[in-house]
Amino acid sequence: MAAQTERTLKNLSAILTAAGSGLKNVVRTTVFLKNMGDFAAMNEVYGRFFSVAPPARSTVEVARLPKDVLVEIDVIALA
């Protein structure tokens, strides 16, 4: 879980940077977890990326994610 969360957030950071934004401009996230039991591991990594004024967040458990990953995160960010 920790490795997949870190990779997901690094990918999001790269996408936002390429678009002229960044993680500091994220105002809302939705985290989709395969197993809510993995929340603590995901949250520890998430907290390192959003340590100051974290964005609003929803976290939901889902039955299945694309490619059978453990975590998926979508964000809304300002330009």
Side-chain angles (χ1 to χ4, degrees):
M1 174 54 67
Q4 286 191 24
T5 302
E6 185 164 348
R7 172 51 43 209
T8 299
L9 290 166
K10 284 181 177 180
N11 290 350
L12 285 168
S13 179
I15 291 165
L16 290 168
T17 298
S21 187
L23 289 177
K24 68 183 182 329
N25 294 332
V26 172
V27 295
R28 174 96 168 94
T29 67
T30 304
V31 179
F32 302 93
L33 296 176
K34 170 83 172 149
N35 182 341
M36 195 58 83
D38 290 330
F39 180 85
M42 176 281 300
N43 197 50
E44 189 277 320
V45 175
Y46 183 96
R48 284 190 271 132
F49 283 81
F50 296 108
S51 59
V52 178
R57 174 179 70 183
S58 295
T59 304
V60 295
E61 182 178 65
V62 296
R64 190 167 181 202
L65 290 166
K67 298 188 178 192
D68 291 320
V69 298
L70 302 176
V71 61
E72 181 175 312
I73 301 173
D74 71 53
V75 301
I76 298 172
L78 303 172

